[in-house]
Structure formats: C-alpha cells, structure tokens
Amino acid sequence: MRYIPNTDADCRQMLTTMGVRSVEDLFADIPRQVRVKGDLRLPPALSETDLMRHLTGLAARDADVDSYASFLGAGAYNHFAPTITNHLILRGEFLTAYTPYQPEISQGTLQAIYEYQTLVCQLTGMEVANASMYDGGSALAEAVLMAQRATGREEVVVARTVHPDYRQVIRTYLGPLGIRIREVPYGAAGGSDLKLLRAAVTEQTACVAVQSPNFFGVVEEVAEAADAAHAKGGLAVVAVAEPVSLGLLAPPGELGADIVVGEGQAFGNPISFGGPYLGFFATRERYIRSMPGRLVGQTEDRDGRVGYVLTLSTREQHIRREKATSNICTNEGLCALAATIALCTLGKQGVREMALQNLRKAAYAKRKLAKAKGFALRFGGPTFNEFVVQSKRRPVRQLLGALARKRVLAGVALDRFYPELRDCFLVCVTEQNRREEIDGLVKALGGGR
C-alpha cells in the first residue's frame, strides 16, 4: 500500500466531511482509561547506521539454524532452498504475488499457480489441486469440512498422531458446527492403532484423517486407514506435514486417499518463527466442486495461444454466498511461488536425493542415540526424518535447556502435546545436518564414545 502524506488542510477537510471535529473524535468508542495519553515513549531517532547496528544486536539474541545445531522439526523443517528461489520471488513482478480482481490480466501469476497445482498433483498422486491455502492445519480442517459436505455425515475420525496443532484447528473449525470428532490412540509402534481405528469408523463417519509421516515421525499404514474409511462409505483424508518424504514414499493418492493436504514450507520457504506457511490441497476430480479455494486452468485463445484463467472459485466473493464451500480466499501466493521454483529447480531426481539424505542421516542419528547411555527410542515403527527419543535419567526440559546453552537445539519436548510422553522429545534430522553435528548431539547427550 502506498504512503500518502496529508496536509493539515487535507485532514481538516476529511474530518469535516465525516462530521467530526478532531481525530480524537474518531476514537470516541474506546474508553478514555485505556487510551494512551501523550506521546509514545520512544527512544530518540537513530541514524541509519546506528539503527542497523541496534537491529542486528536484537536479532543476535535469537537462536537460528545458522548459529545453532538444530534438530527441531514437528511441522517446520530446515531444508535446502536453491539460491535462485529467493532471487526470483524478489523480482518486482512477483514480490506481491496477489491475483487482481481481473485475474486474467496477471498471466504470469496465473501460470505460476498453474505450475504449482501441477507439481502438487504429481507429489500427492491426486488429480486436482487448488492454488494453495494458509497452512497445513487450515488445509486439513478444510479437508475435513469438505468430507462432511460430500457425505452429509456429522462425525469424523482423526488419528491422535496427527499434528496436535492441526487437530486444534480442526476442533476450532468443527466445534461451532456440531460435528463430532472421534480421536484414535496410537499403538506401541507409534502409528495409529488400526484395530481401534476400524472400530471407530461407523456409517456416520464422514472421513478418517491420518498424517503420514505422523507427528512422531512414524510412517502410517495409509492404505489400511483408507480401506477402513471406504468400508463404511467415508472418505480418506491424508495430511503430509513433511512433503520431502514424498520423494521416497508412495503418494497418498496411490494408497487410496480421497483428499491429500499438507504443509509446503519444506520447499523453498525458510523456517521463520512460525510462518509464513503454505497449505497445499489436492483431491479427486469428482470432488472438485466441493474443494475450497480456487483453481487456475490452462486454455487457448481464438488464435490458439496458450492462456491461463481462473477456472474455478468456490469462495463466497465470486459465487452466491449459500453456494460457497468456504470463505477462505487469500492463498499464500508468494510462498507457493517459492515452492514452485524450488521444486522445478530440484527436479524429481533432486527431490528424491534430498529425501534420501534425510532418511539416511536420520537413520544414522537413530542408531547412535539408541546406543546412548540413558536414552532409548520410544517407538519401533518405520520413520523418515523424525523420531521420538526417551530420556530415562534426566528431565527432558532440563536436558534440552542445558543443550540449548551449548548452542544445540536437540529436539521438541512432547509433554506439551502428550502428557504421557513427558520423558520424551522429538528429534528431526534433515539434509542440512552434517555428520559432525549429529555426532556432537550424541556426545552432548553423554553418548559419545
């Protein structure tokens, strides 16, 4: 938005037009006792040089992946992004990748979204994808809502191994609608207890929602979960919080999923204090009109030239409100563009190579930590790049705090999400972790020999 300075005369004219005498009158609805009186207590202005030094000092107080050895994951991942990604998204024509209200005038933006949708379909094994959503959590909640619309049923089954924050977003979405949520516990191996999952599915179940790899890093038995949903006429929803895993694992679409959603931050978007993130959403073509968001298609003009158009938009702004499937509208355009550029630059072989490095480095760390004195692997299920470690001797938060002071971010304590796992923490190893960092983690935990 442009900054437009106004003169005192301009301000007086605007106030007169609005029928008030002063700017203060515009805030008459705010009680006087809670208003700031006088000037803001700000330090004196700094020169640009001093300001930059001040801001650099503030930034230096934060822990980041460049100055710490980081083994944090849990839905936000430190992955390699080709340098070209940042250079291209910072170009003027892309920096605000907002689609105007006459979208076809932005052919470059529409083509980028079209390419993004194509890549999401290839990754997930699905037939159609929308132009992106806020984040993985909101995408999953929208998927559950979509399943409810498609089936007309009022109950959903959600695995307790789905990211806890994603489950909270589902509860926020579904609570006011009166849709019942049945959560399925995890089993001894760290995956969903399939016996309990099958028992939870009924003729009232709109969908079964699982995440793979799940929050513990364990690869879920997606096909079995999908079969359980389909056996009762429900849909199978699969969330993918770590999409780099799709460089090795079978796409959920090949395992029976009807809707695949997830978090696209891993491709081209750095971790940055909780955002911005990027939700992807893909489904079968037969459900396309129930899909939230919007979809860009490719066509030809009368001269046979390729063009891109906003083909489907189910948001309430473009169609009758009662026909809207969702009021979600703004897609994460710039983040989706970053993911598109990163995926195109890496290519299929590059994504597979990245996934292999994640798998192998995490497996190396698992072997090392399994032998570390006072520690054990909590679950035995197959994992990709995350796994749960149990601390048998020392309280987890005390342990993680001590390592952080040594500039090692060893993992995420699980007591916040799963009280029964208060002696456990989640460790993530990506291609960005060097072998000496992994060895350093093991040594810092007291297992280096």
Side-chain angles (χ1 to χ4, degrees), residues 181-364:
I181 302 172
R182 303 184 71 177
E183 290 198 347
V184 177
Y186 53 86
S192 296
D193 188 316
L194 286 176
K195 186 177 179 181
L196 295 177
L197 187 146
R198 292 189 189 97
V201 181
T202 71
E203 282 74 11
Q204 295 304 312
T205 301
C207 70
V208 170
V210 297
Q211 175 183 322
S212 187
N214 67 27
F215 189 69
F216 302 141
V218 174
V219 179
E220 291 274 3
E221 297 184 73
V222 172
E224 286 75 4
D227 288 345
H230 295 155
K232 299 291 185 180
L235 303 185
V237 176
V238 178
V240 184
E242 170 51 297
V244 172
S245 64
L246 296 176
L248 286 177
L249 301 178
E254 294 181 5
L255 302 175
D258 299 292
I259 307 171
V260 182
V261 297
E263 175 52 57
Q265 172 269 322
F267 294 121
N269 291 280
I271 49 176
S272 180
F273 302 98
Y277 283 168
L278 155 69
F280 60 83
F281 194 114
T283 186
R284 305 288 180 190
E285 190 169 0
R286 60 180 174 272
Y287 300 121
I288 192 171
R289 289 195 173 276
S290 294
M291 185 172 64
R294 55 186 177 172
L295 189 150
V296 173
Q298 185 188 74
T299 187
E300 293 181 351
D301 67 10
R302 63 184 178 184
D303 298 320
R305 294 175 298 188
V306 171
Y308 298 90
V309 295
L310 197 56
T311 304
L312 189 69
S313 184
T314 56
R315 57 188 282 196
E316 61 189 34
Q317 185 180 7
H318 291 153
I319 63 176
R320 285 179 295 174
R321 183 177 295 270
E322 65 272 19
K323 296 286 186 182
T325 58
S326 169
N327 68 356
I328 197 164
C329 47
T330 301
N331 70 303
E332 294 287 303
L334 198 63
C335 298
L337 178 64
T340 304
I341 295 169
L343 281 166
C344 290
T345 306
L346 291 167
K348 287 184 179 179
Q349 191 57 38
V351 174
R352 178 175 169 78
E353 174 62 27
M354 181 185 285
L356 272 173
Q357 287 197 34
N358 278 255
L359 180 72
R360 289 169 177 166
K361 290 188 174 185
Y364 174 77

Side-chain angles (χ1 to χ4, degrees), residues 388-402:
V388 176
V389 176
Q390 184 179 25
S391 175
K392 295 185 174 181
R393 296 183 176 178
R394 196 170 175 187
V396 167
R397 290 196 175 270
Q398 185 185 92
L399 176 75
L400 297 181

Side-chain angles (χ1 to χ4, degrees), residues 49-62:
T49 301
D50 289 339
L51 179 61
M52 292 304 296
R53 187 177 295 119
H54 174 67
L55 294 176
T56 302
L58 292 177
R61 298 181 188 178
D62 294 324

Side-chain angles (χ1 to χ4, degrees), residues 160-161 184-188 190-193 214 216 378-379 418 420-421:
R160 195 160 175 256
T161 52
V184 177
Y186 53 86
S192 296
D193 188 316
N214 67 27
F216 302 141
R378 178 61 176 79
F379 300 117
Y418 302 89
E420 72 275 19
L421 298 178

